[in-house]
Amino acid sequence: MIELRPRDLPALVDGVRAAAGDAVLVVIEPGLGGVEEAAMLAALSPLALERAPGQRVNALVIGEEVASVEAATCYLASAVAVTGQVLRLG
């Protein structure tokens, strides 16, 4: 699974399109502006459709607590039928 931590929408789109492998995990960290986060989340489903069926694209939105990030990452890595989903943590 390729992990991306984009800071803006162009970085997200370019990163997903350039990623190799069967799965991409987009990690959206705290501190992004509300508009930037919303734009990236809105782009996730279309990117997942564009990359399917050869690649899955999912996202984690990390709040203040990051203890469950590892568990969520393992889940998404093993959930081969899951794409275009956003898990909100914390």
Side-chain angles (χ1 to χ4, degrees):
M1 177 177 288
I2 303 298
E3 186 175 302
L4 300 176
R5 293 176 180 261
R7 300 301 297 167
D8 57 28
L9 182 59
L12 167 68
V13 173
D14 293 344
V16 168
R17 288 181 174 162
D22 64 348
V24 176
L25 177 63
V26 177
V27 179
I28 299 174
E29 298 176 317
L32 293 177
V35 172
E36 202 62 49
E37 181 178 325
M40 288 195 286
L41 292 175
L44 188 70
S45 290
L47 283 169
L49 287 171
E50 176 185 299
R51 306 304 293 173
Q55 188 176 68
R56 298 178 295 121
V57 180
N58 293 294
L60 295 179
V61 178
I62 301 174
E64 297 300 318
E65 182 182 325
V66 295
S68 54
V69 171
E70 185 176 336
T73 301
C74 289
Y75 164 72
L76 289 172
S78 65
V80 296
V82 175
T83 191
Q85 301 303 305
V86 175
L87 299 181
R88 293 184 179 273
L89 307 176

